């Protein structure tokens, strides 16, 4: 089995391997301070009401950015959206690392809610564009497996760092965000420089068709998507109800 996975890994497009490596680093550093985010805000003076308000701000930003990011990806390519998301992630790390009061986290949390919708969904789009039809399921499943392995030790590494720098308080947690900033900047530069643009013929054809068509702009594009899509509308309602229930207790 290991041999077949190794053979498969060598056979896939180089750009997929680039995504495997650097998005794995992205997910690892993204999760590094995750269990301390609320404690960090509390250490900076946030009370339970303010803590809930911070989370709500991020929850509002997340769906608001999803719609325009999809439109941008259709018009200019998924790589551009991913780079915007990675740049925003690095900005979030910088804002967290420099915060001296809980209210200074507000722009960071709003940006964090937005940037989560601008990386991973479009990585899957690139996986589809860069792989052959018979490889796509394996590429998706292999990516999740590879990304999960280093994340198994994320919490332990974070705990060691926090303990070394003074324990569960603002000063002990702050170095996690500095580490996150360095790794986030590295991943952004690596993707920008080493991920070649798509040359998939189907993608080129799709873009040529969009160029030839007269488009009515942002609103008209989404009206076209929803026209007659009864099941899509129902799915959106179900997902809204699910996410509301999941996020009610998350800040606490």
């Amino acid at each position: 089995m290991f041999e077949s996975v190794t053979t498969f890994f060598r056979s896939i497009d180089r750009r997929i391997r680039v995504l495997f490596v650097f998005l794995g680093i992205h997910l690892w550093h993204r999760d590094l301070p995750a269990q301390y985010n609320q404690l960090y805000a509390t250490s900076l003076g946030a009370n339970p009401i303010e803590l809930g308000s911070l989370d709500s701000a991020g929850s509002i930003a997340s769906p608001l950015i999803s719609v325009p990011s999809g439109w941008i990806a259709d018009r200019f390519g998924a790589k551009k959206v991913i780079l915007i998301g990675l740049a925003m992630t690095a900005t979030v790390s910088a804002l967290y690392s420099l915060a001296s009061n809980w209210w200074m986290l507000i722009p960071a949390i709003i940006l964090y809610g937005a940037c989560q919708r601008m990386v991973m969904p479009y990585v899957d789009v690139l996986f589809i564009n860069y792989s052959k039809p018979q490889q796509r399921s394996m590429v998706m499943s292999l990516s999740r497996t590879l990304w999960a392995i280093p994340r198994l030790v994320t919490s332990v590494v974070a705990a060691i760092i926090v303990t070394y720098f003074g324990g569960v308080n603002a000063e002990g947690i702050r170095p996690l965000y500095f580490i996150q900033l360095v790794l986030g900047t590295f991943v952004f530069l690596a993707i920008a420089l080493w991920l070649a643009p798509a040359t998939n013929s189907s993608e080129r054809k799709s873009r040529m068709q969009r160029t030839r068509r007269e488009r009515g702009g942002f609103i008209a594009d989404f009206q076209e998507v929803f026209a007659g899509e009864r099941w899509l509308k129902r799915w959106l309602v179900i997902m809204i109800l699910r996410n509301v229930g999941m996020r009610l207790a998350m800040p606490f």
Side-chain angles (χ1 to χ4, degrees):
M1 180 180 174
F2 180 76
E3 238 178 77
S4 61
V5 171
T6 305
T7 304
F8 177 80
F9 193 80
R10 289 173 181 167
S11 71
I12 58 179
D13 193 296
R14 174 186 172 277
R15 293 167 295 186
I16 296 176
R17 295 197 292 270
V18 169
L19 290 170
F20 277 179
V21 173
F22 295 109
L23 268 298
I25 298 172
H26 166 75
L27 290 173
W28 189 84
H29 80 67
R30 188 193 70 178
D31 289 349
L32 188 65
Q35 61 187 334
Y36 297 102
N37 286 340
Q38 307 298 341
L39 294 170
Y40 187 65
T42 304
S43 298
L44 293 176
N47 61 40
I49 294 175
E50 291 161 347
L51 202 60
S53 300
L54 287 174
D55 190 70
S56 296
S59 300
I60 292 169
S62 181
L64 288 179
I65 200 65
S66 294
V67 173
S69 68
W71 185 79
I72 293 168
D74 277 343
R75 289 298 182 99
F76 304 106
K79 179 182 174 180
K80 286 185 174 63
V81 179
I82 292 170
L83 288 174
I84 293 170
L86 292 173
M88 290 169 63
T89 303
T91 304
V92 168
S93 303
L95 291 171
Y96 262 93
S97 63
L98 298 173
S100 59
N101 201 297
W102 73 268
W103 53 264
M104 296 176 70
L105 298 177
I106 295 173
I109 289 172
I110 292 173
L111 279 178
Y112 183 79
C115 67
Q116 293 312 297
R117 301 288 184 175
M118 299 186 70
V119 179
M120 297 315 299
Y122 299 102
V123 171
D124 287 340
V125 171
L126 291 184
F127 280 155
I128 292 170
N129 287 337
Y130 295 157
S131 58
K132 299 173 184 177
Q134 66 270 23
Q135 293 178 328
R136 287 170 184 167
S137 296
M138 184 64 175
V139 166
M140 302 283 272
S141 59
L142 183 59
S143 69
R144 270 55 180 181
T145 302
L146 292 175
W147 292 339
I149 294 170
R151 293 166 77 186
L152 293 173
V153 299
T154 305
S155 297
V156 176
V157 172
I160 292 171
I161 294 169
V162 169
T163 302
Y164 180 81
F165 284 98
V168 184
N169 53 59
E171 295 313 309
I173 298 170
R174 196 183 303 275
L176 297 178
Y177 301 110
F178 282 111
I179 295 170
Q180 194 178 53
L181 174 60
V182 172
L183 292 176
T185 303
F186 169 68
V187 170
F188 172 84
L189 293 174
I191 294 294
L193 296 173
W194 296 336
L195 185 68
T199 56
N200 189 295
S201 60
S202 63
E203 183 173 340
R204 287 203 306 269
K205 183 179 178 182
S206 175
R207 288 185 181 179
M208 289 172 63
Q209 288 172 345
R210 287 198 297 270
T211 303
R212 285 197 297 264
R213 273 188 290 170
E214 286 189 6
R215 315 243 343 164
F218 181 81
I219 302 299
D221 285 351
F222 280 93
Q223 286 176 338
E224 181 182 331
V225 170
F226 283 101
E229 294 291 344
R230 179 167 55 107
W231 293 107
L232 175 60
K233 295 169 187 173
R234 291 184 181 182
W235 177 250
L236 288 175
V237 171
I238 292 169
M239 293 304 294
I240 289 169
L241 294 174
R242 168 185 172 270
N243 288 337
V244 168
M246 286 178 62
R247 298 196 72 86
L248 278 175
M250 192 175 292
F252 308 105

